[in-house]
Amino acid sequence: MSESPDRFSQALKEILSGGFTRTVLSIILGFLVGALFMIGSDKAFIESLGYFFSRPGDALGAAFAVVTEGYGSLFRGSIFNGEAETFEKAIRPLTETLRLAAPLILAGLGIGLTFRVGMFNIGGTGQIISGMIWATFVATRLELPFIIHTVVAVIAGVLGAALLGALTGFLKARTGAHEVILTIMFNYIMFNFFNFLLKDPLLLGEEASTGNAKADPAAASAVLPKILGDNYNLHWGFILALAAVFAFWWLMERSTIGFRLRMVGENPDAARSAGVSVERVYILAMGLSAAFVGLAAANQSLASPLGLFPSAHANIGFDAITVALLGGSNAPGILLAGLLFGAFKAGAPSMQVFGVSPEVLGIVQGAIVLFIAAPPLIRMLFRLPPPQTTSVLSDIRQKLMRRGGAK
Amino acid sequence: MKLELRGITKRFGTLVANDAIDLVVEPGEIHALLGENGAGKSTLMNVLYGLYDPDEGEVLLDDKPQSFDGPGDAMEAGIGMVHQHFMLIPVFTVAENVALGQEPTKALGALDIAEAKKRVEDISERFGFNVDPDALVEDLPVGVQQRVEIIKALSRDARVLVLDEPTAVLTPQETDELMEIMRQLASSGTSIVFITHKLREVKAVANKITVIRLGKVVGTAKPDASTSELASMMVGREVGLTVEKSSKQVGDVVLSVENLAVLDDRGQRAVNGVSFDVRAGEILAVAGVQGNGQTELAEAIMGLRSALTGFGKITIKGSDMTGSSVRQVLESGVGYIPEDRTSDGVVGAFTIAENMMINSSYTSRFTKGVNINFSARRKIADELVKEFDVRTPSAETLAGKLSGGNQQKVVVARELSRDVDLLIASQPTRGVDVGSIEFIHERIVIERDKGKAVVLVSTELDEVLALADRIAVMYRGKIVDIVSPETSREQLGKLMAGVAA
């Protein structure tokens, strides 16, 4: 019935069907790439290259030292700081990792959901901003009792994001416009709209306006409460993330709704023949996806002690894509991937203290996902068997490629 | 030219698609390659055509070993292939299509259309093809388009011609004409490899028959071998070729279609004013050459394709279902076996059990509120796998890993296990092995005997004649006539070509 299957979602499927081995190999390779960058930018190493052939030990020693110190400081900054005086201080990095992982996990779930339905939601940024607008409005402009205020603000954040997502899905279903284009455009629109709102004290801006684009911090009654007392910044956002992981798992693996979402993702034609309205599923999927992103938005709005700046989306919408890809778009995978990248965020400052530019972590993060998303590369490097194919078409395509075009 | 394949082995991972296959085609011989779908015929031909490199073995032409790096090499060496789906450009003329790829040119690279036309005329005249070089391909009937493909191959000096399932798209008369052409080509020295799974045609035209099963040559036969002998060789066991069927006991009208008009994907009227009734307890076969609106008709009944507004009415069990959604149609008690199993029938990445519930995921025996009822699903799937003889390690196997026949059994099991009053079966045995065909036919007849109404859309005349209680023949979007299954093949063939009785 339909024309050729969407090559895009085909590739996506292959990336997501990566499997455990490939994921672990990719992470290891990613860290190796990061190590190369650390070595390459290390002064002691570069100086020792000058007399490399007379004393190669120096260069190797320097390389080893910078890598162990660099990743060591990452570990100390993100998991456990053995050098701290007290135990409370020693585990503080871990709580920071959990805190920073929460929005990545939440938004990662949202992006992962669209992957499962064969769609690509690049609009995490726009949706998170939309959610933040609603949540911040509730948190700074309404007066409600403690807890209820928080709950209402979270719901507002989810709704704000979900409506934008559903609108995107609606436009796709109605007009056939590709969701990648739509979501990118909404990113622009929402970012600038947010900026505009923040500048005006009558809208979202600080009531005691300084002329800067900035919102008031959430009212005390609306703030996400701290979990481990005031010594740690870890707040209920992480609990929210864990609950969302469970909800995502139930939705996608156990419920009939998720069954239909996956059905459309795997084979929309068969879904249509089976009586599923594919168009409605697109709208539902984008709405649900953005709802998860909206939880990340609430996390940003309700736990920021200073109030929101235009940059409060913190690039989470894009990082979430890498989280979803690394996590294979399933609930446990996204949890682990979010924790890993949360650890990167938590550990970056301590690496900087040590003198390694934290940009290395961005490179590691990108490299990991690149290796995941480039299965042929991984297969080539490790000589894994290629996936079995008996498809004549793909063979013809290969032949043509090799011969440089049809003859 | 003499063609020899010697010990061809082709593996895909652990799957051995061709296992040491030997095949010799003498000059001027029509050699039928007979085998079920998935037996390895196409793989073998793709090796011959240079699309696959064999893991072992070699291809010899006139006793000289060849090594093809692609179809271009194979063509140069004198091998021509006519694919099941034509590789023609509809808006080009016959001459342009034939010239494409090796265009005769005049000075400065200008096309020499006169020369191209002459080539077509030469070949057409030599073999009595009767093809006008100036006709646009899109205006030609399918049978003539196929001749254009053959001319294309011959114009490249093909002396070994491979015809891949050439009769799938032809009317019986066109099939006879094709066979005549094959005989003529053979008598002029061309070697022909004729790939098919239709026993009748093999017996009619082949000089020699090689039967392939599970990637191996299981035997050769002369065309005077009996049909049942060939069939059991192909399947590996005895096969009943006819379906036992009691006389029909019809009940009330279940499906009524009145003056229906439907557009196809290109916006052309594929179904044009079709009316018929189907009663409980009867099988109405919609016969016709592929592409005469049967697909669109079935999709329109299912709600997958909307009927032209202002035209037509579809009534199921007395209620008007025109313009209903697919879900509404399914839930009103209609079972649907789609024509294209892999794209519309199963979700390859889902397990068999998951596939059993794809069209009853809202509220059914598979659900518990918005939760999937996993234990019930497992139980039902296990039962269905057993009852419908799906050959699989377990119901948790991915449907995409099953053979075509077994995938189709999954679809049939799903549709027949739902409580339906009307079954729309579109090409229910296309690409299915002979053993499974037998089984699926029996199940369809059982449903009819249970008092269900069945609409069988099929382009296989054998299937139509075996199952139908009444036969509606479609041609160019219209039902030419509705006739009894006692009608002769010849008469049906005429109807399929649009000649009203």
Side-chain angles (χ1 to χ4, degrees), chain A residues 42-387:
Chain A
D42 182 50
K43 256 194 202 138
F45 174 77
I46 292 170
E47 280 165 11
S48 68
L49 277 186
Y51 52 94
F52 182 79
F53 290 103
S54 50
R55 274 164 60 195
D58 275 15
L60 295 179
F64 184 76
V66 68
V67 171
T68 47
E69 271 304 310
Y71 285 139
S73 62
L74 172 63
F75 180 83
R76 285 193 297 280
S78 63
I79 298 175
F80 187 80
N81 183 3
E83 294 164 5
E85 304 106 48
T86 62
F87 180 72
E88 280 74 28
K89 281 193 178 157
I91 61 159
R92 196 185 139 81
L94 182 62
T95 65
E96 282 299 286
T97 292
L98 299 184
R99 177 176 73 88
L100 291 164
L104 292 176
I105 294 167
L106 288 166
L109 292 171
I111 307 302
L113 192 146
T114 52
F115 285 165
R116 295 286 287 273
V117 192
M119 293 195 287
F120 209 150
N121 179 4
I122 311 269
T125 303
Q127 288 148 16
I128 210 169
I129 290 173
S130 177
M132 286 194 300
I133 292 172
W134 286 49
T136 306
F137 178 80
V138 170
T140 62
R141 294 291 194 266
L142 299 187
E143 281 182 28
L144 289 166
F146 185 63
I147 296 190
I148 294 178
H149 200 175
T150 311
V151 172
V152 172
V154 169
I155 292 172
V158 169
L159 272 181
L163 285 177
L164 180 62
L167 174 64
T168 316
F170 175 78
L171 290 174
K172 176 186 170 71
R174 250 305 150 78
T175 66
H178 201 284
E179 72 275 8
V180 168
I181 308 293
L182 290 171
T183 49
I184 290 176
M185 293 309 139
F186 275 123
N187 286 347
Y188 280 108
I189 294 171
M190 292 315 296
F191 181 79
N192 289 297
F193 182 55
F194 189 42
N195 225 333
F196 163 78
L197 291 178
L198 287 181
K199 274 185 183 157
D200 193 335
L202 292 175
L203 300 169
L204 268 189
E206 280 179 303
E207 279 174 336
S209 180
T210 54
N212 292 331
K214 182 183 171 309
D216 281 320
S221 54
V223 167
L224 283 167
K226 300 258 167 75
I227 300 176
L228 299 172
D230 285 339
N231 284 335
Y232 300 101
N233 289 329
L234 185 62
H235 55 75
W236 271 75
F238 186 69
I239 307 288
L240 206 58
L242 288 181
V245 167
F246 180 79
F248 182 92
W249 172 81
W250 172 82
L251 176 73
M252 293 312 289
E253 320 296 340
R254 309 295 291 183
S255 78
T256 58
I257 303 160
F259 182 77
R260 286 189 288 275
L261 293 176
R262 286 187 287 128
M263 201 196 314
V264 170
E266 296 293 349
N267 188 343
D269 291 332
R272 195 172 278 123
S273 295
V276 175
S277 165
V278 174
E279 286 70 27
R280 246 182 265 169
V281 166
Y282 284 150
I283 299 172
L284 178 71
M286 284 305 285
L288 284 172
S289 162
F292 281 104
V293 177
L295 286 173
N299 179 85
Q300 295 301 93
S301 290
L302 307 180
S304 151
L306 296 175
L308 297 187
F309 291 92
S311 63
H313 62 79
N315 226 13
I316 289 166
F318 285 108
D319 285 344
I321 298 172
T322 59
V323 171
L325 284 173
L326 178 60
S329 292
N330 63 63
I334 289 172
L335 175 64
L336 294 175
L339 287 173
L340 178 68
F341 291 159
F344 283 7
K345 281 199 171 182
S350 77
M351 281 181 85
Q352 196 157 23
V353 168
F354 171 72
V356 176
S357 32
E359 282 77 15
V360 165
L361 291 175
I363 292 172
V364 175
Q365 186 171 341
I368 291 175
V369 176
L370 183 69
F371 286 125
I372 296 246
L377 189 60
I378 295 285
R379 278 201 295 271
M380 186 194 73
L381 284 174
F382 291 95
R383 296 171 191 278
L384 297 177

Side-chain angles (χ1 to χ4, degrees), chain A residues 1 250 253-256 259-260 262-263 266-267 269-270 273-275 389-390 392 395-396 399 402-403, chain B residues 12 51-53 69 299 327 330 342-344 346-347 349 354 357-359 361-362 367 370-372 374:
Chain A
M1 250 172 32
W250 172 82
E253 320 296 340
R254 309 295 291 183
S255 78
T256 58
F259 182 77
R260 286 189 288 275
R262 286 187 287 128
M263 201 196 314
E266 296 293 349
N267 188 343
D269 291 332
S273 295
T389 167
T390 51
V392 180
D395 274 81
I396 293 175
K399 289 272 179 190
R402 211 172 67 199
R403 294 170 65 85
Chain B
F12 298 101
L51 286 168
Y52 290 152
D53 295 321
D69 202 16
E299 287 177 358
R327 188 177 156 195
L330 286 168
T342 42
S343 80
D344 302 328
V346 295
V347 179
E354 284 179 307
M357 70 171 280
I358 61 171
N359 60 8
S361 71
Y362 290 95
T367 63
V370 283
N371 285 292
I372 298 169
F374 286 92

